[in-house]
Amino acid sequence: MSVSEKSPAVRTGEPRVALRRNRGGGRAPKVHPALWLFPLPAVVIYVIFFVGPTLQAFQYSVTDWDGISSAFSNVGGGNFSRITTNDDLFRGALTNNVKFLLVVVIAQTALSLLLALLLQRNSKSSTALRALFFLPAILSSVSVAFVWKFMYDPNFGLINQVLGGVGLDRLQGAFLGDASKAIYWVALAQVWAHAGQLMVIFVAGLQQIPEELYESAELDGAGTWARFRYVTWPLIAPATAIVVAYTTIQSFKAFDLILGLGGNPPKGSLDILSTRIYTTFTNSRFGYAAAESVVFMVIIALVSFLQRRAVRLTQHGV
Amino acid sequence: MAGSIGRRVILGIYALLIIVPLFVVLSGSFKSTKQLFDAPFAPPSSLSPGNYRAVLTDASMATAFVNSTVVTLSAVVITLAVGSLAAYGLARIPGWRGMVVYGFLVLGMAVPAQSNMIPQYVLFQSLGLLDSRIGLVLIEIVATLPVAVFIMTGFMRTLPRELFEAGSIDGAGPWRTYRSIALPVSVPSLAATAIFLFVIQWNDLLYPLLFIHDPAKTTLPLALLNFQGEFLTNYPLLFTGVIVASAPLVVAYVFLQRYFVAGITAGSVKG
């Protein structure tokens, strides 16, 4: 899974410089003071342009600053109480984001695991198919959005044309035009773009499971399902945890895909938290947008924390 | 093996789900709107470059292409340089002090871009770095530095300590060891990291959208997005834009596939 595993060439450097002298004992060697200079450029850039602004977001979040005027007032927790109790736009975006998140996490995890199970062996055809399935992950989300805009186009789109062609006209739909379901269709486009990427993580996890475990399970009379349930599933738990955690963060960060499919600013039925913050910001409500971004950060931290707890519970539970 | 037919059917369907839309986009870029709507699955009747000519001249996509190339290449090189320096130092500093600095840098991966973009906008405005390619390069470096440090430190830690010690016994300082041992040995992982960064930065929409308003400074994803407003349902032109914007990555992917997979996977494990 790490870069090094995929890069056997790295190892060639090792023997040439092999152990000229091994310091006795396990004591940590003295740190050359100049080593501290190496992280310095990164730390300086990071503190000035990343950490500083992150802290400032908290500062702005208690103001009504519009981003232009030099005068603004401190509104205390006003922004926050409005976001949490009295902001339909924010609540709508949160609801959409939760729907999007649930569909993407469940569908993408299941699909990428299925594909990985089918393609875990390193045969020529499996390797080629893995490469094909990974391909959409390198396209920009705006490009993916345009591909799916045409898939979903109610009049000329591929899906409705195919459905019409095979006589399933009654399944034809408005897709993105149907406000109550639009977000699910965007979720599907997201799964299309990234299932192959997460498949690779599962393949790496599956290939680490020793073959003997399957053999002995088979000797014990375990069928395909039992082998999956009692050998594969528990042993790929670490990969599953990574996939679920990554997919969750990815679902909060989906931004380009929403703007590509939902317009800029996106229609209400497709607004999620990241696009809501952006729209508030472009309406010159810097203070309020900063408050939204703080709430956003808290939500992500909370979800990640709960997820980690859940993973730990299930791993101890089995 | 049982289920072998089921396996083929599932894989076949999924392969079609990937190939067909991409084929429709590619062939659609050579069609007129009417041809596309009448027979979306048919191959183009001729490879007429009309759409490409229109896209590259009319819609400032050519400018965007140049800007994307310049900005992405600069940002990737600088992120790699700054990130690999940090990774090298942090992998060699033992004990909790190194860990604290590492943890501090890597913590940035947990902060979503939308959470600090507003103060960043204000900061860049005060520095005169809005509507500037230099500003764009800088913000892309800033946004990807935490994950770059994460990937490269993870790699440098797997290098055997003796590799560095051998250098210092020969009288080489940390800088010489970095230049003549750590970097050459890390080429494959640097390549994977570079590709990972290239894909993210080339495809990024958020920061150009925030920081760039001058059409002369636009990048490909932003140009594409604006395109949509201009040619609402002129799909052949939109598709041509998609091809132009994706071609460099797809061509590189064909040749450097393992590095793409290694880099993007390393990035997604914690990114």
Side-chain angles (χ1 to χ4, degrees):
Chain A
M1 224 172 302
S2 72
V3 179
S4 57
E5 284 170 24
K6 309 252 174 201
S7 324
V10 174
R11 298 270 168 247
T12 55
E14 204 174 320
R16 258 182 290 142
V17 239
L19 302 169
R20 288 179 102 163
R21 192 179 70 132
N22 205 344
R23 263 175 223 249
R27 257 192 29 205
K30 227 181 84 205
V31 183
H32 196 299
L35 276 178
W36 283 104
L37 292 175
F38 285 80
L40 198 61
V43 170
V44 169
I45 294 175
Y46 179 68
V47 167
I48 297 176
F49 296 104
F50 195 103
V51 179
T54 309
L55 298 177
Q56 265 179 312
F58 287 91
Q59 229 177 321
Y60 290 174
S61 71
V62 292
T63 69
D64 62 357
W65 191 34
D66 61 5
I68 306 157
S69 39
S70 52
F72 54 87
S73 45
N74 193 321
V75 294
N79 289 337
F80 291 103
S81 62
R82 208 179 131 199
I83 290 169
T84 48
T85 59
N86 189 24
D87 182 341
D88 290 343
L89 290 172
F90 191 83
R91 180 165 308 176
L94 177 61
T95 312
N96 283 336
N97 216 147
V98 171
K99 289 178 185 170
F100 183 78
L101 173 100
L102 288 175
V103 173
V104 173
V105 168
I106 293 170
Q108 191 161 273
T109 308
L111 180 62
S112 55
L113 176 57
L114 174 70
L115 295 173
L117 285 168
L118 298 177
L119 295 175
Q120 56 179 308
R121 279 170 222 285
N122 284 331
S123 68
K124 254 203 181 118
S125 61
S126 289
T127 316
L129 283 176
R130 288 206 299 252
L132 174 68
F133 295 169
F134 189 90
L135 175 66
I138 67 165
L139 304 178
S140 76
S141 299
V142 182
S143 298
V144 171
F146 287 179
V147 173
W148 283 83
K149 203 170 131 68
F150 184 60
M151 299 282 278
Y152 290 144
D153 190 297
N155 302 314
F156 315 104
L158 281 193
I159 296 182
N160 277 349
Q161 286 216 23
V162 169
L163 289 173
V166 297
L168 289 170
D169 305 51
R170 61 197 171 79
L171 290 182
Q172 289 180 337
F175 302 110
L176 300 174
D178 177 352
S180 64
K181 302 203 185 72
I183 192 74
Y184 299 116
W185 296 115
V186 180
L188 209 64
Q190 171 84 358
V191 173
W192 180 84
H194 292 283
Q197 177 191 345
L198 297 162
M199 168 196 73
V200 172
I201 296 176
F202 274 127
V203 168
L206 287 169
Q207 288 181 342
Q208 281 168 8
I209 300 177
E211 193 61 34
E212 302 89 69
L213 287 179
Y214 288 111
E215 285 163 11
S216 58
E218 212 168 346
L219 285 179
D220 291 343
T224 313
W225 169 250
R227 283 199 302 260
F228 175 77
R229 172 70 185 80
Y230 296 104
V231 180
T232 314
W233 183 246
L235 286 177
I236 49 156
T240 314
I242 290 170
V243 168
V244 170
Y246 176 70
T247 309
T248 303
I249 298 293
Q250 197 190 30
S251 306
F252 280 119
K253 285 183 178 169
F255 175 83
D256 316 16
L257 189 65
I258 300 281
L259 288 194
L261 282 170
N264 179 17
K267 336 178 231 192
S269 59
L270 289 178
D271 208 10
I272 63 171
L273 293 176
S274 60
T275 49
R276 177 97 302 266
I277 296 168
Y278 170 74
T279 308
T280 313
F281 166 76
T282 50
N283 290 336
S284 289
R285 296 168 62 205
F286 282 35
Y288 197 75
E292 286 179 328
S293 74
V294 168
V295 174
F296 183 51
M297 229 186 308
V298 171
I299 291 174
I300 292 188
L302 201 68
V303 170
S304 305
F305 172 76
L306 290 175
Q307 225 170 40
R308 215 176 277 184
R309 285 294 300 268
V311 166
R312 208 169 298 162
L313 279 180
T314 48
Q315 278 176 351
H316 287 300
V318 170
Chain B
M1 194 179 144
S4 172
I5 295 176
R7 173 179 185 269
R8 280 173 191 218
V9 170
I10 296 172
L11 291 174
I13 292 176
Y14 197 69
L16 285 178
L17 281 176
I18 302 287
I19 293 171
V20 170
L22 296 179
F23 172 77
V24 168
V25 168
L26 180 61
S27 69
S29 71
F30 295 103
K31 294 177 179 173
S32 69
T33 311
K34 186 174 182 321
Q35 285 169 326
L36 177 70
F37 289 167
D38 286 348
F41 299 106
S45 52
S46 71
L47 294 181
S48 61
N51 291 330
Y52 287 87
R53 198 175 299 133
V55 160
L56 289 172
T57 51
D58 290 5
S60 74
M61 282 283 278
T63 321
F65 196 95
V66 174
N67 287 337
S68 272
T69 309
V70 172
V71 168
T72 307
L73 284 178
S74 321
V76 168
V77 168
I78 301 173
T79 313
L80 268 189
V82 174
S84 69
L85 279 171
Y88 169 78
L90 294 172
R92 285 201 62 189
I93 296 172
W96 63 271
R97 286 186 187 84
M99 279 312 286
V100 167
V101 177
Y102 170 74
F104 174 63
L105 281 170
V106 165
L107 193 64
M109 291 196 300
V111 179
Q114 281 81 12
S115 289
N116 49 24
M117 67 183 189
I118 299 162
Q120 277 170 340
Y121 179 88
V122 176
L123 176 62
F124 275 62
Q125 191 174 37
S126 67
L127 295 173
L129 289 174
L130 297 184
D131 261 332
S132 132
R133 275 168 291 224
I134 294 176
L136 202 50
V137 170
L138 181 57
I139 194 69
E140 296 291 348
I141 296 169
V142 170
T144 48
L145 196 54
V147 67
V149 169
F150 169 78
I151 300 177
M152 289 191 278
T153 310
F155 174 75
M156 295 260 184
R157 281 200 183 125
T158 66
L159 297 177
R161 186 159 285 281
E162 291 79 16
L163 206 62
F164 301 131
E165 283 170 7
S168 48
I169 289 154
D170 290 344
W175 173 249
R176 274 261 319 270
T177 319
Y178 166 78
R179 286 250 344 245
S180 42
I181 298 179
L183 278 192
V185 158
S186 312
V187 166
S189 79
L190 290 179
T193 313
I195 285 176
F196 168 73
L197 292 171
F198 197 96
V199 172
I200 298 189
Q201 295 175 347
W202 180 268
N203 287 337
D204 180 50
L205 172 69
L206 178 67
Y207 293 112
L209 192 60
L210 282 176
F211 287 14
I212 304 292
H213 299 104
D214 178 358
K217 310 278 170 60
T218 189
T219 61
L220 284 167
L222 183 58
L224 267 188
L225 191 73
N226 294 335
F227 222 49
Q228 188 190 20
E230 245 174 285
F231 307 103
L232 203 51
T233 50
N234 189 337
Y235 286 107
L237 275 190
L238 292 184
F239 289 173
T240 310
V242 167
I243 300 289
V244 170
S246 316
L249 286 183
V250 175
V251 171
Y253 177 68
V254 171
F255 296 103
L256 301 168
Q257 203 200 95
R258 56 190 284 128
Y259 291 104
F260 272 82
V261 174
I264 292 176
T265 306
S268 52
V269 166
K270 274 278 171 63

